[in-house]
Amino acid sequence: VQLQASGGGLVQAGGSLRLSCAASGRSVSSNVMGWFRQAPGKEREFVASISWSGSMTYYSDSVKGRFTISRDNEKDMVTLQMNSLKPEDTAVYYCAADKRARTTYGEHEYTRSWLYDYWGQGTQVTVSS
């Protein structure tokens, strides 16, 4: 499975960006998908995830209420709508996928990087103040 993240860029604080993650090689339309980010000098951190059915979504406290994760299983794509961006959102954003299809986990597991087997190359998001 190859994951291609796109949509990053430079935006002013308060602005919006929409990240997309497209899968190829094998369908992940029935797999848990997530977004993580890594800022310079910091560890990679969880941002958002969505269950295989799309019925459950999870967010880090730092983005809750501003970011929205969604999926389009027909297109085998996951998006992250980011609104009210802040300078502290500046990071490389990675999409990731679980290799197990149609699998449900405990809530906290969706936020753990070890759950995800496939990772995209990352897309840079820079928010200026």
Side-chain angles (χ1 to χ4, degrees):
V1 174
Q2 291 80 45
L3 301 176
Q4 180 72 40
S6 61
L10 173 64
V11 64
Q12 288 188 333
S16 298
L17 282 175
R18 185 178 179 87
L19 304 185
S20 296
C21 177
S24 62
R26 184 174 73 84
S27 174
V28 291
S29 62
S30 296
N31 300 56
V32 173
M33 300 288 292
W35 287 94
F36 289 74
R37 68 187 181 186
Q38 187 167 19
K42 295 186 177 181
E43 294 185 353
R44 183 172 56 190
E45 65 173 358
F46 168 76
V47 175
S49 61
I50 187 166
S51 62
W52 69 268
S53 65
S55 62
M56 300 298 294
T57 56
Y58 304 90
Y59 300 93
S60 68
D61 289 342
S62 62
V63 308
K64 197 172 296 182
R66 299 187 297 122
F67 291 11
T68 302
I69 187 172
S70 60
R71 66 190 306 157
D72 183 337
N73 288 340
E74 289 188 4
K75 296 182 178 179
D76 223 346
M77 180 176 292
V78 173
T79 60
L80 184 68
Q81 178 67 41
M82 306 187 296
N83 298 328
S84 302
L85 283 162
K86 305 175 181 179
E88 50 264 44
D89 294 319
T90 296
V92 177
Y93 283 70
Y94 300 89
C95 63
D98 176 18
K99 68 179 180 181
R100 292 156 289 266
R102 300 181 180 275
T103 303
T104 301
Y105 302 95
E107 180 176 342
H108 292 296
E109 294 179 279
Y110 289 90
T111 70
R112 302 292 191 260
S113 61
W114 54 257
L115 178 66
Y116 302 89
D117 304 284
Y118 309 118
W119 293 81
Q121 86 289 356
T123 185
Q124 176 71 46
V125 172
T126 303
V127 184
S128 63
S129 57

